[in-house]
Amino acid sequence: MSSLTLRLDMIQTLALAAVVLFCGYGIRRRVSLLDRYNIPAPVVGGFLFAALSLTLRSWGLLAFEFNTALQPPLMIAFFTTIGLGASLGLLKVGGPQVLLFWLLASFVAVVQNVAGVGIAQLLGVDPLLGLIAGSITMTGGHGTGAAFGKLLEEQHGFSAGVTLAMAAATFGLVSGGLIGGPVATALIRRHRPLRTPGTVPREAALAAAQLDALDEEIDTEPVGPPATAFTLLKVITIILAAMWGGGLLSAWLGQYMTLPAYIGAMVFAALVRNLSDVSGAVRIEQRTVDDLGTITLSLFLAMALMSLRLWELLDLALPMLVILAAQVSIMAAVAYFLTFRLMGRDYDAAVMAGGHCGFGLGATPNAVANMEAIAERFGPAPRAFLVVPMVGAFFIDFTNALIITAFIGMVR
C-alpha cells in the first residue's frame, strides 16, 4: 500500500527540527534514566521522531521528505565556534597537565580509529564503519558523529552514516557512564593514592568554574554575564566572517587535499581567536560563543536525527556492536593502565581516569558526571575538574576532527 508523502521545505524542516528538539527536552526532564546518562535532548527527540516516521512508513500511512539545505551551514557554524574556543591561552591557565591530557586524548582517538578500522577489515565490512565506531563517535560524541556521518554519506557513498553514528554515540554515552566509576574505584582501592597537596591556582579555578557550564543543557543559566544584542550581533558577525574566510581557506587547500567543508572555518576561527587574544583588538565573549555553538549543534542534530532511516541499521548492526564492545574494553584499559600513570598516579589522576572513560566514550558531561560521583564518595579532586572539562570543551574536538580527516583519507 502506497503512503502519502509529506514534503517540507527548508523553513518547515527547520521549524520541525526546533519542535522535535524541545520535545526532547520535555521527555528528558521527565525520564530520569535519560538525564542520568546525559543523553542529549536532540537525540531523544530525534530518535523518537525517526521511530514514529519508521512506523508510519512501514504501515503505509505517511512518509516524510525533508529539505535539509540548512544542515551544512549549521554544521559549519558549530565547528566554527569550536575554533573560536581553541584559545592557546587556556593551556597557560591549565598548566602542563592540560597539555598532557590533551595529547593523551588525541592519542586515544588515534587508537580508537586504528582498532575500529582493523576490526572492520577482519569482519569484512567497510572500514568507514570502523571510523564511525571509532573516534568519530567515541571521542566525538553525537555532534561529531552526525557531522561526519553526513560527510561520509555525501562524499564517500557510505549509506546510513548518520543513523549508524547516532546509534554508536548513544551506545558510547551509556557505556562511558557505566564503566567510569568502577575503573576509578578499582584504582583508588588498589593503589590508595594520596591527594595532591596544595590548591588549584585562582586563575585555573575561575576557568574551571566557567567550564562547568559549557556542557549544560540550554535551559539552564550558564556562568558569565548575559549577552546583550550588541554582543550577540558581534559574535555572530565574527562567526559568519570566520565561515567566509574558512570557505576561502578550504577552497585553497582543496587544490592539494580533500578536506571536509568545516575544517577551513574551524582553523580560520582558531587563528582569529588567538590573534584576538594576543592583540586585544576584539573581545570574544566565550559564553556567547558557547551559547551560539549549542544552538547550532542542537538544531543540526535534531534535523539530522529526525530524518534518520532506521531500517538501514539492520545489515551493519552486529559488526558495529562487535567494534563498540572492543572500544569499551580498550577505553577501560587505557584509563586504568595509562591515564592514571601519566596524570600523576595520585587521587586526582584516579578521578581523571574515571572521567576519561566518560569523555573517551561519549562526551564531557559524562566525564563530569563520573567524576562528581567519585568525588562524592572519596572526596574532592579540584585538578581533575579543571583538566578534563577544559580539554573536552576546548581542545579535543579540534584535534579529533583533524585525526578523523586523516584516517578517512587513508582508508579511501
Side-chain angles (χ1 to χ4, degrees):
M1 183 171 62
S2 61
S3 59
L4 174 68
T5 299
L6 179 61
R7 294 180 174 84
L8 279 69
D9 63 23
M10 181 176 69
I11 299 301
Q12 292 168 338
T13 300
L14 180 63
L16 180 58
V19 172
V20 165
L21 170 63
F22 276 90
C23 287
Y25 277 111
I27 295 167
R28 191 178 186 272
R29 285 177 176 179
R30 288 163 176 78
V31 181
S32 59
L33 188 66
L34 298 174
D35 186 64
R36 177 184 175 187
Y37 289 110
N38 299 293
I39 307 299
V43 174
V44 176
F47 260 127
L48 288 177
F49 185 88
L52 173 63
S53 177
L54 173 62
T55 302
L56 293 174
R57 179 182 183 273
S58 62
W59 288 353
L61 298 176
L62 181 66
F64 291 93
E65 188 175 299
F66 301 108
N67 182 335
T68 57
L70 287 175
Q71 268 192 1
L74 286 171
M75 178 187 69
I76 294 171
F78 165 66
F79 279 101
T80 302
T81 65
I82 294 296
L84 287 175
S87 171
L88 295 179
L90 288 171
L91 290 176
K92 182 179 178 181
V93 172
Q97 283 235 319
V98 170
L99 177 60
L100 179 59
F101 190 72
W102 182 20
L103 293 174
L104 174 60
S106 300
F107 168 74
V108 170
V110 173
V111 171
Q112 288 173 337
N113 289 332
V114 170
V117 171
I119 296 172
Q121 290 175 335
L122 287 174
L123 295 174
V125 296
D126 194 323
L128 290 177
L129 178 65
L131 293 182
I132 284 179
S135 78
I136 288 180
T137 55
M138 297 297 97
T139 294
H142 287 88
T144 304
F148 275 98
K150 193 75 174 176
L151 175 79
L152 295 180
E153 287 180 355
E154 294 177 349
Q155 296 189 14
H156 300 280
F158 185 77
S159 62
V162 175
T163 307
L164 290 164
M166 294 304 96
T170 302
F171 182 95
L173 271 177
V174 175
S175 300
L178 289 174
I179 70 169
V183 165
T185 301
L187 285 168
I188 292 168
R189 286 178 173 172
R190 178 178 178 182
H191 297 281
R192 302 189 180 279
L194 298 175
R195 287 177 174 78
T196 305
T199 59
V200 176
R202 180 177 179 276
E203 295 84 357
L206 290 173
Q210 293 174 344
L211 288 165
D212 283 342
L214 288 178
D215 291 291
E216 294 292 330
E217 292 287 2
I218 63 173
D219 57 347
T220 61
E221 185 68 18
V223 173
T228 63
F230 176 80
T231 303
L232 278 170
L233 184 58
K234 179 181 71 173
V235 175
I236 289 172
T237 302
I238 292 171
I239 291 172
L240 291 173
M243 291 170 68
W244 182 13
L248 297 175
L249 178 60
S250 291
W252 177 71
L253 292 174
Q255 302 175 68
Y256 309 100
M257 64 187 77
T258 301
L259 293 173
Y262 68 81
I263 289 289
M266 188 172 68
V267 172
F268 194 90
L271 292 173
V272 169
R273 172 59 189 263
N274 287 283
L275 287 174
S276 174
D277 287 350
V278 171
S279 66
V282 180
R283 183 171 176 237
I284 300 176
E285 290 80 2
Q286 188 59 48
R287 169 180 168 173
T288 306
V289 172
D290 296 332
D291 286 346
L292 291 171
T294 300
I295 291 168
T296 54
L297 175 61
S298 297
L299 289 172
F300 168 74
L301 272 176
M303 194 180 298
L305 285 161
M306 73 184 193
S307 57
L308 289 179
R309 300 181 293 273
L310 293 178
W311 56 91
E312 295 177 343
L313 271 175
L314 298 176
D315 292 340
L316 293 174
L318 184 58
M320 188 172 73
L321 280 174
V322 173
I323 299 171
L324 291 173
Q327 298 288 13
V328 173
S329 300
I330 290 169
M331 187 66 251
V334 167
Y336 190 90
F337 293 107
L338 199 57
T339 304
F340 176 67
R341 285 165 173 76
L342 288 180
M343 301 313 295
R345 296 177 63 92
D346 56 12
Y347 172 69
D348 278 84
V351 176
M352 276 188 245
H356 198 183
C357 291
F359 170 74
L361 290 175
T364 308
N366 255 29
V368 174
N370 284 353
M371 294 191 298
E372 284 177 345
I374 298 160
E376 284 176 7
R377 181 173 182 183
F378 295 104
R383 180 160 50 87
F385 279 88
L386 168 69
V387 171
V388 176
M390 185 175 285
V391 173
F394 290 118
F395 297 115
I396 190 57
D397 284 333
F398 193 93
T399 49
N400 189 34
L402 299 178
I403 290 167
I404 294 165
T405 301
F407 269 89
I408 291 174
M410 285 189 282
V411 301
R412 275 292 184 262

